[in-house]
């Protein structure tokens, strides 16, 4: 329809836990974002190749391609992509902090609707490209 509001951002969510993936998807969609969700890093790379996304929200620990490898590959191919990483593992969050130049936000599980929405909103305040 012609009068539908334009989504605030196109967001790709890569999270292997179904419940967490659905929570993130519903949370971000409720804020007016267009959200596509996949179950692992390889699926995310395939989706990134198919369309333009503004933000990648990715778990760090996933099967096939983990979130760190996904972020490294995604930024090489799509330098304007903003990245928000999530993890329930402190040592994995430390690995992600080594990617400060690529990752816009890192949040710990469990997180609230407000936290995930704020992380995405914050990432969108950065100009496109590496941090």
């Amino acid at each position: 329809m012609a009068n539908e509001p334009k989504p605030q951002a196109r967001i790709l969510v890569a999270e292997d836990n179904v419940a967490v993936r659905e929570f993130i998807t519903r949370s971000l969609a409720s804020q007016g974002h267009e959200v596509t969700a996949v179950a692992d890093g390889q699926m995310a790379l395939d989706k990134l190749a198919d369309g333009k996304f503004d933000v990648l929200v990715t778990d760090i620990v996933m099967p096939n391609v983990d979130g760190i490898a996904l972020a490294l590959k995604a930024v090489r191919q799509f330098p304007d992509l903003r990245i928000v990483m999530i993890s329930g593992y402190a040592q994995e969050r430390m690995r992600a902090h080594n990617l400060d130049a690529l990752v816009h936000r890192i949040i710990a599980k469990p997180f609230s609707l407000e936290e995930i929405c704020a992380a995405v909103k914050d990432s969108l305040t950065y100009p496109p490209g590496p941090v």
Side-chain angles (χ1 to χ4, degrees):
M1 296 185 133
N3 292 335
E4 284 185 22
K6 184 178 179 241
Q8 291 186 15
R10 293 195 67 220
I11 301 170
L12 178 60
V13 175
E15 165 62 62
D16 59 319
N17 181 296
V18 175
V20 175
R21 186 170 63 241
E22 289 176 1
F23 174 76
I24 294 169
T25 300
R26 283 193 312 272
S27 298
L28 296 175
S30 76
Q31 301 296 303
H33 299 297
E34 181 181 326
V35 184
T36 302
V38 297
D40 66 45
Q42 185 56 57
M43 293 171 76
L45 288 170
D46 295 343
K47 284 290 182 189
L48 284 168
D50 289 345
K52 171 128 176 51
F53 291 92
D54 301 301
V55 180
L56 169 64
V57 176
T58 181
D59 191 7
I60 295 175
V61 178
M62 292 186 296
N64 300 323
V65 176
D66 74 10
I68 303 236
L70 171 59
L72 291 169
K73 290 178 183 183
V75 169
R76 243 180 279 139
Q77 292 178 303
F78 308 99
D80 291 347
L81 186 67
R82 295 159 184 102
I83 299 174
V84 174
M85 294 191 127
I86 55 178
S87 181
Y89 302 98
Q91 100 184 44
E92 295 302 325
R93 287 195 303 275
M94 290 307 298
R95 281 181 57 215
H97 277 292
N98 293 331
L99 303 176
D100 284 341
L102 305 177
V103 177
H104 295 86
R105 287 287 302 273
I106 302 168
I107 59 175
K109 291 179 183 175
F111 49 82
S112 68
L113 177 145
E114 292 81 12
E115 287 172 308
I116 190 67
C117 292
V120 167
K121 183 178 180 181
D122 184 47
S123 76
L124 288 165
T125 65
Y126 287 92
V131 180

